[in-house]
Amino acid sequence: MISIEKDIERVLISETEIAKRVKEMAAEMDAYYKGEEVVLACILKGAVTFFSDLVRLVSFPVQFDFMCVSSYGSGTSSSGSAKILKDLSVDITGKNLLLVEDILDSGNTMSALIKLLSSRNPKDIKLCCLLNKPSRRVQPITADFSGFDIPDEFVVGYGLDYDERYRQLPYVGVVKPSVYKK
């Protein structure tokens, strides 16, 4: 047991369930892109574990890129504004762009990001997220490829964090409220 696991109330999605669903999502993407080249943009830091597993399973040609967008700080809910800390380095003009995100929550960050990236004239923009929290949605946005719908609980693991901790857990777990309600 990892010492931080004492802070986890329960496992919401197991390592096995994640691996199975990521494989299924890669197959869905393969069917959609049909061998076309795609710029896969990982939204740092939370999506890096998911991104790493996913890219090894797709069969279409890819270019990797990374963006770092902050909207949470050290809190448990989105601030409602997106701050770009690291922008794409690849020119996406005329290219397929697939944003790979850990969790789609309020939709504020992704809506702002997609609006910004659309102005760069990509051929196509699609959104892929491991976790979807539809009950928290504020913006009218949906993921084109989605792993799991989850309830409105604060989750960590498999790349997701609370105050930069818990990312290394191999599953998605619900954090005990006593951890973040101090």
Side-chain angles (χ1 to χ4, degrees):
M1 178 166 154
I2 300 171
S3 65
I4 57 174
E5 287 185 302
K6 67 184 177 355
D7 296 339
I8 304 303
E9 188 172 271
R10 72 182 189 287
V11 173
L12 184 64
I13 307 169
S14 73
E15 185 175 4
T16 302
E17 291 170 306
I18 293 169
K20 179 179 184 275
R21 184 64 188 125
V22 172
K23 187 174 183 180
E24 292 167 353
M25 292 173 74
E28 292 167 17
M29 291 172 197
D30 283 342
Y32 178 79
Y33 288 111
K34 297 179 180 136
E36 288 188 45
E37 185 172 51
V38 179
V39 175
L40 281 155
C42 177
I43 307 302
L44 298 172
K45 298 178 189 172
V48 75
T49 305
F50 172 44
F51 180 85
S52 295
D53 287 345
L54 180 68
V55 298
R56 289 178 288 158
L57 296 170
V58 297
S59 63
F60 48 85
V62 299
Q63 285 186 304
F64 286 12
D65 209 344
F66 300 88
M67 289 189 82
C68 190
V69 183
S70 177
S71 65
Y72 281 80
S74 62
T76 59
S77 61
S78 175
S79 65
S81 64
K83 180 180 178 185
I84 295 179
L85 305 174
K86 187 226 175 285
D87 205 341
L88 293 175
S89 55
V90 171
D91 179 6
I92 59 170
T93 305
K95 296 180 180 177
N96 293 307
L97 176 64
L98 177 59
L99 300 172
V100 180
E101 176 67 299
D102 55 359
I103 187 166
L104 183 57
D105 196 317
S106 69
N108 289 328
T109 302
M110 273 300 118
S111 291
L113 193 55
I114 289 171
K115 182 178 179 182
L116 168 75
L117 295 171
S118 293
S119 72
R120 298 179 187 175
N121 301 312
K123 176 182 178 184
D124 185 43
I125 297 179
K126 295 295 181 201
L127 174 60
C128 167
C129 67
L130 176 67
L131 304 175
N132 181 36
K133 257 191 215 184
S135 66
R136 302 246 320 143
R137 198 81 74 244
V138 174
Q139 297 294 326
I141 185 171
T142 57
D144 300 285
F145 305 99
S146 181
F148 301 92
D149 283 356
I150 64 168
D152 185 12
E153 297 182 280
F154 194 67
V155 294
V156 296
Y158 197 67
L160 289 95
D161 75 304
Y162 169 63
D163 203 16
E164 295 299 326
R165 296 186 341 254
Y166 310 102
R167 291 187 193 276
Q168 77 270 35
L169 295 174
Y171 54 80
V172 174
V174 176
V175 179
K176 291 177 181 174
S178 60
V179 171
Y180 58 87
K181 290 185 178 179
K182 293 180 181 176

